[in-house]
Amino acid sequence: MEQGTAEEQPHTSAWLPAQAASAVPHDARGGDDGPRPATPGPQVPRQRPQRHSVRGQILAALRQALTAGELVAGEVYSAPVLAERYGVSATPVREAMQQLAGEGAVEIVPNRGFRVCERSARDLAELAEVRTMLEVPAIVRLARAVPPERWEELRPLAEAGVTAAAHGDRAGYADADHAFHQALIALTGNRRLTQVTGELLRRAQWPAGGTRRRTADLLADASEHTALLDALIAQEYAVAERIAREHLSAARHLH
């Protein structure tokens, strides 16, 4: 689906995060430029980046922009304009946006681009409720089955979240938060559960109404990861369940 050009869309926003250019490797930009001129000396054959790799990098950058609030709810963003700013063709941008549309983050606006969906407090509360129904029973079951040393292996993920939160890095914290919860649920061995809870968390991380979480809120959230690990390692099952339930319930109000 063609989304038009920048000249045809005077009311379409053109967005580029500060780190966008560095997020895409130099040889992934301008996918049709062809090989670089030869330079003296022996040359290692260069392999053109695969399109799905570029799409994945663009998708990651767009997800970071959503969680950081840099993509504004209600605004329409043009795939060709974003592609020009990233230095890639429009195709991987459109493909990434199509995936985000399937996840409910954006909606397609014919002949214009993609509008960032507006999310209400009710939307986030419902997501938190579903996550609680899925993740808390899984954690309770794992608490008695997983040895303390396995829980300790998740410590670096929890600490990465604390570090990102302390720096007010919302996108970095979102990535660390996702990695922690995915690693925790993956211990169940249930791939479908891991996939579903991961998708729900992604949806829950996009802010409602253009709000941005404060650093103090991020730190409080991150500290619950470490507190949960401490309780699980100490085999304090009731405490672990309480922390998990409060942690997921808090997401209704903090995002």
Side-chain angles (χ1 to χ4, degrees):
M1 179 185 299
E2 289 297 323
Q3 306 299 335
T5 64
E7 290 75 17
E8 294 169 348
Q9 304 163 48
H11 301 296
T12 300
S13 300
W15 165 88
L16 178 70
Q19 70 275 28
S22 61
V24 181
H26 183 78
D27 53 357
R29 305 170 193 168
D32 298 324
D33 290 342
R36 296 179 180 177
T39 55
Q43 297 296 302
V44 177
R46 295 176 59 82
Q47 182 176 0
R48 185 178 296 277
Q50 297 297 313
R51 191 176 75 185
H52 71 269
S53 176
V54 178
R55 178 186 61 190
Q57 293 167 31
I58 297 297
L59 178 61
L62 293 174
R63 278 181 170 150
Q64 286 187 343
L66 282 166
T67 56
E70 295 171 2
L71 284 174
V72 181
E75 292 290 326
V76 177
Y77 296 89
S78 161
V81 170
L82 289 176
E84 181 180 356
R85 296 301 183 93
Y86 275 118
V88 299
S89 70
T91 299
V93 176
R94 287 197 184 98
E95 290 174 343
M97 281 292 200
Q98 291 282 357
Q99 182 164 339
L100 290 173
E103 296 174 3
V106 301
E107 59 184 2
I108 299 170
V109 181
N111 301 317
R112 291 187 64 197
F114 301 84
R115 178 184 291 112
V116 178
C117 294
E118 300 193 52
R119 312 172 67 77
S120 67
R122 178 176 178 176
D123 292 330
L124 296 175
E126 290 176 349
L127 284 168
E129 184 175 9
V130 175
R131 289 185 64 206
T132 299
M133 295 169 67
L134 292 175
E135 292 191 45
V136 172
I139 292 171
V140 170
R141 187 168 68 252
L142 287 170
R144 298 180 181 276
V146 175
E149 57 269 21
R150 291 296 303 279
W151 293 121
E152 192 62 48
E153 292 174 3
L154 301 184
R155 184 76 65 181
L157 297 176
E159 292 175 348
V162 172
T163 299
H167 288 86
D169 181 358
R170 295 169 181 82
Y173 176 71
D175 287 342
D177 184 36
H178 191 269
F180 177 83
H181 282 272
Q182 286 284 270
L184 191 157
I185 298 301
L187 291 174
T188 65
N190 188 320
R191 295 173 299 171
R192 298 300 183 188
L193 178 62
T194 304
Q195 178 184 4
V196 169
T197 55
E199 291 173 354
L200 289 170
L201 176 53
R202 285 291 188 200
R203 290 171 182 257
Q205 288 176 332
W206 304 325
T211 59
R212 300 180 68 186
R213 298 184 67 187
R214 300 174 302 169
T215 297
D217 294 333
L218 295 177
L219 277 170
D221 207 31
S223 68
E224 290 175 345
H225 290 165
T226 57
L228 176 60
L229 287 182
D230 290 341
L232 290 168
I233 291 169
Q235 298 181 325
E236 297 175 344
Y237 305 125
V239 174
E241 180 178 358
R242 175 181 57 79
I243 293 172
R245 197 172 296 278
E246 291 177 354
H247 177 69
L248 295 171
S249 177
R252 304 180 186 190
H253 309 290
L254 294 179
H255 285 279

